[in-house]
Amino acid sequence: MHDQRIEEYFAEFEPPEGLRAELLRRDILLTGGTDIVHNEIVSEVLGQIPRDRWHGFATQHLAFPEELSKPQPDLVVMERGRGESSGWLVPASDVTLLIEVVSLRSADRDYGLKRSIYAAGSVPAYLIIDPYDARCVLLTEPDGAGEAADYEVRRTVSFGAPLRVDALGITLDTSRFGTLPDVRPHRWP
């Protein structure tokens, strides 16, 4: 299928009730609901973002130039006044921070594929919150293009330690982030 047809198909696609759909480098991925720990973490982060300067949107689809991807991160943070007339697809250039909370089946995507997509789209900061490993990984300074894109700077903190997020001018309190038992075969350094 040609790229334009894939994008047209995805734009019209209605996922079954209870599922969400993402287009990730030509593949349509359907995922189920999230657990309470996941939702509590998103809520905790959202509650710490100053609403006078920033919008935080859960499950907002993004558009990336030169990239056949329409991901739907767990949380999209952008400056007030940006992306207001975007519709269902917010341009990646309007985004300051993307957040993914690792779930049982998303670790490889969150640490790998989405990391590459977000860096290729020049998103200034990408935060991976991992309740299985009880840590946050903040990636900044995107570099490169396509599948070779990555972030140049990585800062990792364990849950309980403060995490400075310079892109937003805040320090996140991670002490109330919940954890889950590590049942994944995936291990990332």
Side-chain angles (χ1 to χ4, degrees):
M1 193 181 279
H2 296 288
D3 290 353
Q4 183 175 350
R5 292 202 54 197
I6 292 170
E7 285 191 293
E8 289 169 359
Y9 176 82
F10 185 74
E12 298 296 322
F13 181 72
E14 289 282 334
E17 187 173 334
L19 297 178
R20 73 180 201 190
E22 297 179 280
L23 177 60
L24 302 174
R25 293 209 169 119
R26 306 188 87 221
D27 290 328
I28 295 176
L29 176 72
L30 297 175
T31 53
T34 56
D35 60 45
I36 193 70
V37 170
H38 178 283
N39 293 335
E40 286 175 345
I41 289 171
V42 170
S43 179
E44 282 293 326
V45 171
L46 194 53
Q48 295 182 54
I49 296 172
R51 296 181 47 87
D52 61 331
R53 180 162 180 217
W54 305 101
H55 280 297
F57 298 110
T59 62
Q60 172 67 56
H61 278 100
L62 302 175
F64 290 82
E66 308 298 322
E67 180 77 43
L68 188 59
S69 294
K70 308 286 185 269
Q72 190 182 57
D74 292 320
L75 192 59
V76 174
V77 181
M78 58 186 154
E79 200 166 1
R80 286 196 172 271
R82 307 281 308 210
E84 291 181 349
S85 62
S86 299
W88 75 281
L89 284 172
V90 169
S93 59
D94 285 349
V95 174
T96 302
L97 171 69
L98 292 176
I99 297 169
E100 295 285 3
V101 178
V102 174
S103 66
L104 185 61
R105 293 176 186 88
S106 74
D108 289 331
R109 277 190 313 278
D110 293 342
Y111 283 110
L113 179 61
K114 286 187 173 185
R115 174 180 175 157
S116 173
I117 291 169
Y118 299 161
S122 298
V123 174
Y126 172 36
L127 176 58
I128 303 167
I129 302 174
D130 192 331
Y132 296 94
D133 285 341
R135 69 178 178 171
C136 298
V137 179
L138 179 63
L139 303 163
T140 58
E141 298 186 28
D143 186 44
E147 293 181 23
D150 201 356
Y151 286 90
E152 296 292 317
V153 176
R154 179 175 92 179
R155 182 180 313 136
T156 303
V157 300
S158 296
F159 284 8
L163 175 62
R164 196 177 77 245
V165 183
D166 295 334
L168 302 183
I170 65 171
T171 298
L172 280 178
D173 175 3
T174 67
S175 65
R176 293 178 53 178
F177 291 179
T179 60
L180 293 166
D182 192 355
V183 294
R184 301 172 287 143
H186 173 82
R187 300 304 306 166
W188 187 77

